[in-house]
Each structure stands twice: as C-alpha cells, then as structure tokens.
Amino acid sequence: MSKALIMQKLTNREEDVMQVLWQLENAFVKEVLAQFPDAKLHYNTLSTIIRNLEEKGYVGHEAFGNTHRYFPIVTKEAYRKRFVGTAVADYFNNSYKNLVSFFAQEEKISVEELKEIINRIENKK
C-alpha cells in the first residue's frame, strides 16, 4: 500500500513547510528556509522536518552530490481532501451541512458567500 494512501496528519510546522514546497514545486533546504524570514528556524531543524516529510511519504528528492532538492509527492489537493474529510467526520458528524452551519453560526461566512456557494452548486448541474 502506498504511503500516500495512509497519509499521516502533519504537524503545523510540517504543514507550513509543505505549503512552501507546494508553492515552489521543488527547492533546496536553503530556498525553503528563505520563505520563513520571520521564523526562528535553524537550517538543521528545517532539514530534519523535510526528511521527516520524506519518511512520511509527502516529499521526494533529487540528489546533486551531497545536496538534495526536494519536491512534493502528495498534492495540496489530495492532502486537503483527506484532512477536510477527516475533520468533517470527526467534528461535524460526517455532515458538510453541519460544517457550513458551524461557519455561519460563528459568522465566518456571510449570507452573500452562502448564496455564491449555492449558485456554484446549481450551475454545476
């Protein structure tokens, strides 16, 4: 079974690194590090995070001598689909209606945005 099929949840920092790799498409550790100018993130720490992502099956690499250029194996869409689905199952009784209702009650989504979503759904039919 492929590692991508049994995706592990990533830590917040791992998700941050994946966001950078998804944006850059491939990068050396120093290029990823440059995307975190405000973070107190050491090169060796970032290198360890990226190697952990590789062990989890999220990242691959190309070797250039002793240096590696890393690239995402798991797409952002696949990760989002897997973990949004898990969140809906775990916290919203497997109901997307409950999810949308939650955001409406928390005032995280407006009536106009809900109408836009309904229009998108209706136009797909």
Side-chain angles (χ1 to χ4, degrees), residues 80-92:
R80 178 178 40 215
K81 184 176 180 181
R82 166 74 169 90
F83 289 104
V84 167
T86 299
V88 170
D90 291 349
Y91 300 104
F92 299 100

Side-chain angles (χ1 to χ4, degrees), residues 6-68:
I6 51 173
M7 278 189 250
Q8 298 176 41
K9 177 76 172 105
L10 300 179
T11 65
N12 290 341
R13 183 57 88 186
E14 287 172 336
E15 284 184 353
D16 292 343
V17 171
M18 284 304 300
Q19 291 289 348
V20 170
L21 286 172
W22 285 320
Q23 178 187 354
L24 298 177
E25 297 180 1
N26 61 62
F28 296 98
V29 174
K30 66 181 179 180
E31 294 171 323
V32 175
L33 188 62
Q35 300 298 311
F36 295 98
D38 299 332
K40 303 273 192 260
L41 188 60
H42 191 273
Y43 180 95
N44 290 340
T45 303
L46 178 58
S47 181
T48 299
I49 291 168
I50 293 174
R51 283 193 312 274
N52 289 342
L53 288 167
E54 190 168 23
E55 286 178 22
K56 290 181 176 183
Y58 283 87
V59 171
H61 76 267
E62 283 182 273
F64 294 92
N66 292 333
T67 306
H68 295 129

